[in-house]
Amino acid sequence: MTSFVQDQWYVAAYAREVGRELFSRTVCGESILLWRTRDGAVTAMSDRCVHRRFPLSEQPSHLAGDTVVCGYHGFTYGADGVCVAVPGQTRVPRTARLRSYPVAEQDSFVWVFIGDPARAEGTRIPRAPWLDRAGWTVVSGMEPLAARSSLLVDNLMDLSHETYLHGGYIGTPEVAATPITTEVDEEAGIIRVSRHMADAECPPFYADSTGITGRITRWQDIEFTPPCLYVLHSRIAPAGVLPNPDGTDPDAFHVEVVYAITPETESSTHDFWAVARDFALDDEAVSEYLAKSNRTVVLQDVTALDALERVIAGEPDGHQELSINIDTGGLAARRMIARMAQR
Amino acid sequence: MTSFVQDQWYVAAYAREVGRELFSRTVCGESILLWRTRDGAVTAMSDRCVHRRFPLSEQPSHLAGDTVVCGYHGFTYGADGVCVAVPGQTRVPRTARLRSYPVAEQDSFVWVFIGDPARAEGTRIPRAPWLDRAGWTVVSGMEPLAARSSLLVDNLMDLSHETYLHGGYIGTPEVAATPITTEVDEEAGIIRVSRHMADAECPPFYADSTGITGRITRWQDIEFTPPCLYVLHSRIAPAGVLPNPDGTDPDAFHVEVVYAITPETESSTHDFWAVARDFALDDEAVSEYLAKSNRTVVLQDVTALDALERVIAGEPDGHQELSINIDTGGLAARRMIARMAQR
Amino acid sequence: MTSFVQDQWYVAAYAREVGRELFSRTVCGESILLWRTRDGAVTAMSDRCVHRRFPLSEQPSHLAGDTVVCGYHGFTYGADGVCVAVPGQTRVPRTARLRSYPVAEQDSFVWVFIGDPARAEGTRIPRAPWLDRAGWTVVSGMEPLAARSSLLVDNLMDLSHETYLHGGYIGTPEVAATPITTEVDEEAGIIRVSRHMADAECPPFYADSTGITGRITRWQDIEFTPPCLYVLHSRIAPAGVLPNPDGTDPDAFHVEVVYAITPETESSTHDFWAVARDFALDDEAVSEYLAKSNRTVVLQDVTALDALERVIAGEPDGHQELSINIDTGGLAARRMIARMAQR
C-alpha cells in the first residue's frame, strides 16, 4: 500500500514545462507522461507502454501528430491513452490502453489527479491565483528534494527556522522570537499559522526588493491546504503602518510565497516555489534579485532536508521527537495528512 | 535458491580474453577465475581463496608457473584448484581446494559449466561454428548490460523492435510489418522464429556492407537454444533472388549474427555479440563498418534494456503485460527457460 | 539489536582532531558530536538535535561560547548536553537534553564510552602509553575502511599476510614461514601472538629507518585488547643480538605499532594507526619515511579488506572458511569478541 494521500490533485509541472516534447514526471510514485496536443491541450497518461513497460518518455519514443509512438516496438497511443496501432497485425487488442490521468491547468501549474479518476471532478483544486493574475509579477522554479515530503511540510509550517537557517536572507531575530497563532479549519481542510511582528528588522530579501531602509511591520500569514499547496501571505510595511479600516493597504508591500509540495517517491519530493509581488511589477532587476534570493533560500532548505532524510533513513524507527510551541502548525498538518491518507 | 538455469554451459569469455593474466568473470552469480597454463590450456576455478575468501583475481594475487598464489596470505593452488601450499606449515589440509569448473573452448568462446560438474560431459554445448570457420569473417565484442538476461532474450526474439529502436541502422518498416512464424522444438531445445520479407528496403547496415543499392529479399531466421545461445541467420539478396533448388545460394549475402546471453547476476548480463559474414572476407573497411554499426545497435539495446530494468526494479511486482503476435517467440523462450530452471 | 560490543571505551578521534570546531564521528553506529569548551575540555554528545534530529555538526550549526546552537531552529545546548534555549518561548522543556557520552583523553586519543554511562568509570581504558611519552617519537593517522571491523581484527592478528600483501614494505619470506605462539589471557582480556625470527631479512621499512644493513633478529609480539586496541611490540636488532639478562636492550630498535579499531557502522571502520619508535627521535626524515611507508601499508590493507567486504556482502551467508595454524590468534579474538557482544 502506498502512503501517499489518494484522490487529490497534485502539481505535476509548470504549464510552461509541458509542450510538444514528451515530458515525464513521477508523482506519488506514478510515472506520468505529459504532452500537449496540436491544439495545445495538456494530456497526462502512464509513462509505461502496455506491451513491455518501456518508458514512453524515453528516446526514441516520440510524438507523431496527436499520438505517442513507443520507441521500443512502435505501440501507438492517442491523447486519451487508447492504443491505436501495434506492430505486425492490424487488430489492436481492446484492452490496450494506458492509464489516463485527469489533468487541469490552473494558476500557472499543470495539476494531475492521483487516485480514482471518478472522484476528480468533485475534488477541489487548491488555488494560488496570484501566480497568473494582472497586477502581480512572479518568479518561480522547482528544486528536486531528496527527502520525504513531510520534512518539507514541517519546514514550511514553522518559519522560526528562517532566523537560523536563512539568516542574512529572510531571517531576523524577531521571527524566532515572535509567538504564532494557529488555526485549523477542518471543514475547509486548511491550516493557518500567523506571526505578526510589529517592529522588526528588515531582512535583505525585503529591503533590497522594496527599498525600505528602516524597521518594518512584518506579517507572515500561512495558509496550507494539505496535502500539497502552501501559501505564505507576506506583508511588509514601514513600522507602524497598518491596513486601512476598509481593507485597502496602499502603503504596504505584499508578497505571496507559494509552494507546491509534490511527493515524487517515499523519500523524494518536487519542491515547486513561486514568489508573487504587487510592487515593482516591471522592474527586471527586482525580479532577478528575488528569483536568485528565493532559490538560494530554497536550496538552503534542500541541503538541510536532504541531510535530515539521510539521518532518518540511516537510523532506527521510533525516535522520539521533542515538540514545542513553534511546532503547533506542523503537528496539525501531520495529523490532517495522516487522516487523509487513511481515508 | 538461485533462479539461474543450472547444469548448462554458458559463455564466460572470448578465448582471446583469457591468457597468462588472472581474469575473473561472474557467471550466474558465481565468480570464476580464468587463466591458461603454460601449455595454453584454459582453466576455470572459484575466484575465492578457501582461507578467507580473498578474490584470487585481485592484486597482488598472481600466477607463478602453473599455480595461483593468493595475494593475501599466499595460499597456492594448481590448475585443478587443489591447494599445494599454505603459509607457516608444511601440511596442506586435504579439504583445501577451490571449486573447479568444467571448461571448453569452442567457436571462439570459452564455455564454463554451471551446475553439477558430473553432468557436464553429457550436456551439449550449443554451436556457432561460423565464428571460427574458413570462409567467414567475424567481428565481435561484449557489452555489459545492467539488466536481467530475460530482457535481452525478449529483445532478441522479437525483431520487430528493429524498426523503432534501430531505425537508420538495421530497421526498416517491413520488419515490424511482416508477420513471423514460430516453431518450438522441445526435443532439441530450440525455438525458431522466421520472418521472410520478399521485397524490402535495404537498411544501411546491409547496403553499406554488401553494396546492394536497390530493394532486397530479406530473411531473418532465428534459432535460439535456451538459456543462452542465439543465432540469427540473415540472408540478403536483390529482390526476387532466391536460393537454387539444390540449396546453393551464390547470389545472396549471408550474415550469422550470434549472441551469447550470459547472466552475470539476477539483474545484469554479459551481452556477447558477433557478426560473421561470407562476403568481402578480406575487406577491412567492411569489417570496421560492421563492427562499429553492430556495436551501436547493441548499445541502443543496452540503453533501452537498462532503462527497462530500472522500471521493473522500481515498480511493484505483478504488473500485467500485454502480448501480441510478435511476442510468440519470446513467450515460448520464457516458458522453456522457466521449465529448465525448475528441473 | 546492535552487534557492537557495548559498555566499552572506543577511540573516537585523535585529541588533535577535536577543538573549537564542531566535529562529528560515528562510533558503533552512534553519531557523536565532539568539541572543546573554552577551557579545553573535550565534550561528547549526540549529534542529533532533540527537536527534529538535525545534525548539530551540520552547517549553519555552530559553537557560541560553551554552547552549541542548532542550525535549523536554534535549539541551544550546554557542554553537558542540556538544552538551555529554544525559539519562541522562554520555558525550556525539562526533557530537552542530548545524550551525553563519557569521554576521556589518554595516550593521544579521545575515548568515548559506548553503552551504559554508569559503567564507564568501572571500565578500564586500554593503554598505548608510547604515543604520548618522553623518549618516543610518533607518526600516526586514520584511514576510513569500508569493511566490517572483524576483517581488520583478522588482518592484524595474522601477520603472515605481510609476506604477500606487504612484500617490499614490511613483509619478507620469514614472516609467513615462522610459526607463532598464541596465548589467551581471559582474565585480563588480552590475546597475545608472538613470532620471533632469529635470522631474517630486514625489510625496507626497518632497514631504511634504522640503518641496519645486514640480517636481523626480528620479534613481533602482539597484544590485542578486544574489542578495539591492538599493539604490536616490534623489536629489530642485528642478527644474534638479544636483550641483556636484566631486561635492558640498548642495541635493539623498538617500534610500537598501535591500531585502534573503531567500528563506524556494521560494514565500516575507523582504522587509527600509529607508529612509535625509540630511535632517531628527532630525525624528521625518518618520521616522514615511516609515516609514508606505514600509511602505504595501511592502504594496502584497506584495499584488500574493502574488496573482502564487497565479497562478503555480495555472497550468501554460511560460507565455510578454512583455517590453519596462522589463524589461531584471529580465531581466539573472534571468540572473545563474540562473548563480549553477548554479555
Side-chain angles (χ1 to χ4, degrees):
Chain A
M1 259 299 290
T2 173
S3 72
F4 304 115
V5 176
Q6 298 293 302
D7 296 336
Q8 294 290 333
W9 292 95
Y10 288 91
V11 171
Y14 286 107
R16 64 178 182 255
E17 292 183 285
V18 180
R20 290 288 294 164
E21 299 288 327
L22 294 170
F23 177 89
S24 179
R25 191 155 273 155
T26 296
V27 176
C28 296
E30 306 187 18
S31 283
I32 301 178
L33 183 75
L34 296 160
W35 51 282
R36 288 184 191 274
T37 57
R38 281 170 300 188
D39 63 8
V42 176
T43 68
M45 56 187 69
S46 168
D47 187 26
R48 300 283 177 264
C49 183
V50 297
H51 177 230
R52 288 295 177 265
R53 281 196 264 184
F54 192 73
L56 296 169
S57 58
E58 192 93 10
Q59 290 274 359
S61 301
H62 60 277
L63 279 180
D66 281 353
T67 65
V68 179
V69 182
C70 177
Y72 196 177
H73 298 92
F75 276 58
T76 303
Y77 303 91
D80 54 2
V82 175
C83 185
V84 296
V86 300
Q89 62 190 59
T90 51
R91 198 186 66 82
V92 175
R94 269 182 312 143
T95 57
R97 59 171 61 219
L98 300 170
R99 176 169 180 180
S100 174
Y101 291 84
V103 64
E105 284 192 72
Q106 184 173 285
D107 300 336
S108 85
F109 293 128
V110 174
W111 299 78
V112 296
F113 190 79
I114 300 294
D116 177 358
R119 296 185 182 151
E121 205 165 341
T123 305
R124 180 189 49 160
I125 303 177
R127 297 301 309 256
W130 317 273
L131 303 189
D132 190 18
R133 173 185 278 180
W136 293 81
T137 295
V138 182
V139 295
S140 63
M142 192 278 273
E143 310 304 328
L145 183 66
R148 60 198 69 188
S149 59
S150 62
L151 292 179
L152 183 54
V153 173
D154 279 357
N155 174 278
L156 292 171
M157 294 303 283
D158 170 17
L159 296 181
S160 69
H161 80 272
E162 291 184 352
T163 304
Y164 300 94
L165 197 55
H166 307 306
Y169 290 87
I170 54 174
T172 68
E174 294 85 1
V175 180
T178 306
I180 53 166
T181 61
T182 302
E183 180 195 317
V184 180
D185 183 336
E186 294 284 356
E187 200 169 346
I190 294 180
I191 295 161
R192 296 190 178 83
V193 178
S194 291
R195 174 182 278 118
H196 287 197
M197 295 162 268
D199 179 17
E201 188 184 321
C202 189
F205 187 84
Y206 289 119
D208 293 352
S209 57
T210 66
I212 294 182
T213 53
R215 292 182 69 83
I216 56 172
T217 292
R218 180 178 185 187
W219 292 359
Q220 296 180 321
D221 292 287
I222 296 168
E223 281 191 303
F224 178 46
T225 308
C228 66
L229 192 75
Y230 173 99
V231 179
L232 168 63
H233 307 289
S234 181
R235 178 186 183 276
I236 299 95
V241 172
L242 296 180
N244 295 325
D246 65 358
T248 59
D249 194 17
D251 298 326
F253 299 84
H254 301 90
V255 174
E256 302 288 342
V257 184
V258 177
Y259 285 86
I261 302 166
T262 303
E264 179 187 38
T265 67
E266 299 283 352
S267 61
S268 62
T269 304
H270 305 297
D271 183 351
F272 294 92
W273 59 267
V275 175
R277 67 182 189 273
D278 68 353
F279 57 91
L281 296 185
D282 300 320
D283 191 329
E284 265 304 314
V286 169
S287 290
E288 274 170 37
Y289 173 78
L290 288 178
K292 186 176 168 192
S293 297
N294 206 67
R295 181 159 189 268
T296 300
V297 164
V298 170
L299 290 177
Q300 288 169 337
D301 284 330
V302 165
T303 300
L305 300 183
D306 287 1
L308 262 187
E309 178 66 35
R310 289 192 296 272
V311 164
I312 293 172
E315 291 183 358
D317 281 349
H319 175 90
Q320 189 70 29
E321 289 180 336
L322 185 142
S323 295
I324 59 174
N325 295 347
I326 57 170
D327 300 308
T328 312
L331 296 175
R334 289 188 193 178
R335 281 190 299 269
M336 195 177 281
I337 290 173
R339 271 200 310 276
M340 295 171 89
Q342 279 164 13
R343 253 178 247 148
Chain B
M1 258 298 291
T2 174
S3 72
F4 304 115
V5 176
Q6 299 292 301
D7 296 336
Q8 294 290 334
W9 292 94
Y10 288 92
V11 170
Y14 286 106
R16 63 178 182 255
E17 292 182 285
V18 181
R20 291 289 293 166
E21 299 288 328
L22 294 169
F23 177 89
S24 179
R25 191 156 273 155
T26 297
V27 175
C28 297
E30 306 187 19
S31 283
I32 301 178
L33 182 75
L34 296 159
W35 51 283
R36 290 185 190 272
T37 57
R38 282 170 300 188
D39 63 10
V42 176
T43 68
M45 55 187 69
S46 169
D47 188 25
R48 300 286 177 262
C49 182
V50 297
H51 177 229
R52 288 294 177 267
R53 283 195 260 185
F54 192 74
L56 296 168
S57 58
E58 192 93 11
Q59 291 274 0
S61 301
H62 59 277
L63 279 180
D66 281 351
T67 65
V68 179
V69 182
C70 177
Y72 196 177
H73 298 92
F75 277 58
T76 303
Y77 302 92
D80 54 1
V82 175
C83 184
V84 297
V86 300
Q89 62 190 59
T90 50
R91 198 185 67 80
V92 176
R94 269 181 313 144
T95 57
R97 60 170 61 217
L98 299 171
R99 176 169 179 179
S100 174
Y101 291 84
V103 64
E105 284 192 72
Q106 183 173 287
D107 300 335
S108 84
F109 293 127
V110 173
W111 299 78
V112 296
F113 190 80
I114 300 296
D116 177 358
R119 296 185 182 151
E121 207 166 339
T123 305
R124 180 188 49 159
I125 302 176
R127 297 302 309 257
W130 317 273
L131 303 190
D132 191 18
R133 173 185 279 179
W136 294 81
T137 295
V138 182
V139 294
S140 64
M142 192 278 274
E143 310 304 328
L145 182 66
R148 60 198 68 187
S149 59
S150 62
L151 292 179
L152 183 54
V153 173
D154 280 355
N155 174 280
L156 293 171
M157 294 303 283
D158 171 18
L159 296 181
S160 69
H161 80 271
E162 291 183 353
T163 304
Y164 301 94
L165 197 54
H166 308 306
Y169 290 87
I170 53 174
T172 67
E174 295 83 2
V175 180
T178 306
I180 52 166
T181 60
T182 302
E183 178 195 319
V184 180
D185 183 337
E186 294 283 355
E187 200 169 347
I190 293 179
I191 295 163
R192 295 189 179 84
V193 178
S194 291
R195 174 181 278 118
H196 286 198
M197 296 161 267
D199 178 18
E201 188 184 322
C202 190
F205 187 84
Y206 290 118
D208 293 353
S209 58
T210 65
I212 294 182
T213 53
R215 292 183 69 82
I216 55 172
T217 292
R218 180 179 184 188
W219 292 0
Q220 296 180 321
D221 292 287
I222 295 169
E223 282 191 303
F224 178 46
T225 309
C228 67
L229 192 76
Y230 172 98
V231 179
L232 168 63
H233 307 290
S234 182
R235 177 186 182 276
I236 299 95
V241 172
L242 295 179
N244 294 325
D246 66 356
T248 59
D249 193 16
D251 298 326
F253 299 85
H254 300 90
V255 174
E256 302 287 342
V257 184
V258 177
Y259 284 87
I261 301 165
T262 303
E264 180 187 37
T265 67
E266 299 284 352
S267 61
S268 62
T269 304
H270 306 297
D271 183 351
F272 294 91
W273 59 267
V275 175
R277 69 180 188 272
D278 68 354
F279 57 91
L281 295 184
D282 299 320
D283 191 329
E284 265 304 313
V286 168
S287 291
E288 274 170 38
Y289 173 78
L290 287 177
K292 187 177 168 191
S293 297
N294 204 69
R295 182 159 189 269
T296 299
V297 164
V298 170
L299 291 177
Q300 288 169 337
D301 284 329
V302 166
T303 299
L305 300 183
D306 287 1
L308 262 186
E309 178 66 35
R310 288 191 297 272
V311 164
I312 293 172
E315 292 183 358
D317 282 349
H319 176 90
Q320 190 69 29
E321 289 179 336
L322 185 142
S323 295
I324 58 174
N325 296 347
I326 56 171
D327 300 308
T328 312
L331 295 176
R334 287 188 195 179
R335 280 190 298 269
M336 194 177 283
I337 290 173
R339 270 199 310 276
M340 295 171 89
Q342 278 164 13
R343 252 177 247 151
Chain C
M1 257 298 292
T2 173
S3 73
F4 305 115
V5 176
Q6 298 292 300
D7 297 336
Q8 294 289 333
W9 292 94
Y10 288 91
V11 170
Y14 286 106
R16 65 178 182 255
E17 292 182 284
V18 181
R20 291 289 293 165
E21 299 288 329
L22 294 170
F23 177 90
S24 178
R25 191 156 273 155
T26 297
V27 175
C28 296
E30 306 188 17
S31 282
I32 301 178
L33 183 75
L34 296 159
W35 51 282
R36 288 183 192 276
T37 58
R38 283 171 300 188
D39 64 8
V42 176
T43 69
M45 55 188 69
S46 168
D47 187 26
R48 300 285 177 263
C49 182
V50 298
H51 177 230
R52 288 294 178 265
R53 283 196 260 184
F54 192 74
L56 296 168
S57 58
E58 193 93 10
Q59 290 275 0
S61 302
H62 60 277
L63 279 180
D66 282 350
T67 65
V68 179
V69 183
C70 177
Y72 196 177
H73 297 92
F75 277 58
T76 303
Y77 303 91
D80 53 2
V82 175
C83 185
V84 296
V86 300
Q89 62 190 59
T90 51
R91 197 185 67 81
V92 175
R94 271 181 312 142
T95 57
R97 60 170 63 216
L98 299 170
R99 176 169 179 180
S100 174
Y101 291 84
V103 63
E105 284 192 70
Q106 185 174 285
D107 300 334
S108 84
F109 293 127
V110 173
W111 300 77
V112 297
F113 190 79
I114 299 295
D116 177 358
R119 296 185 182 153
E121 205 165 342
T123 305
R124 181 189 50 159
I125 303 176
R127 297 304 308 259
W130 316 273
L131 304 189
D132 191 17
R133 172 186 279 179
W136 294 80
T137 295
V138 182
V139 294
S140 63
M142 192 279 274
E143 310 304 328
L145 183 67
R148 59 198 68 186
S149 59
S150 62
L151 292 180
L152 183 54
V153 172
D154 280 357
N155 174 280
L156 293 170
M157 294 303 283
D158 170 19
L159 296 182
S160 69
H161 80 271
E162 292 184 352
T163 303
Y164 301 94
L165 196 56
H166 307 307
Y169 290 87
I170 54 174
T172 67
E174 294 84 2
V175 180
T178 306
I180 53 166
T181 60
T182 302
E183 178 193 318
V184 180
D185 184 337
E186 294 283 355
E187 201 169 348
I190 294 179
I191 295 162
R192 295 190 179 84
V193 177
S194 290
R195 174 182 278 117
H196 287 197
M197 295 161 266
D199 179 17
E201 188 183 322
C202 189
F205 187 84
Y206 289 119
D208 293 352
S209 58
T210 65
I212 294 182
T213 52
R215 292 182 69 81
I216 56 171
T217 292
R218 181 179 183 185
W219 292 0
Q220 295 179 323
D221 293 287
I222 294 169
E223 281 191 304
F224 178 46
T225 309
C228 67
L229 192 75
Y230 172 98
V231 179
L232 168 64
H233 307 289
S234 181
R235 178 186 182 275
I236 300 95
V241 172
L242 296 180
N244 295 326
D246 67 357
T248 58
D249 192 18
D251 298 327
F253 299 85
H254 300 90
V255 174
E256 303 287 343
V257 184
V258 177
Y259 284 86
I261 302 165
T262 302
E264 180 187 38
T265 68
E266 300 284 352
S267 61
S268 61
T269 304
H270 306 297
D271 183 351
F272 294 91
W273 60 266
V275 175
R277 69 180 189 272
D278 69 352
F279 57 90
L281 295 184
D282 299 321
D283 191 329
E284 266 304 314
V286 168
S287 289
E288 274 170 37
Y289 173 77
L290 287 177
K292 186 177 169 192
S293 297
N294 205 68
R295 182 159 188 269
T296 299
V297 163
V298 170
L299 291 176
Q300 289 169 335
D301 284 330
V302 165
T303 299
L305 300 183
D306 288 0
L308 262 187
E309 178 66 35
R310 288 191 298 272
V311 164
I312 293 173
E315 291 183 358
D317 281 349
H319 175 90
Q320 190 69 28
E321 290 180 335
L322 184 142
S323 295
I324 58 174
N325 295 347
I326 56 170
D327 299 308
T328 313
L331 295 175
R334 287 188 194 179
R335 281 191 297 269
M336 194 177 283
I337 290 173
R339 271 199 309 277
M340 294 170 88
Q342 280 163 12
R343 253 178 247 150

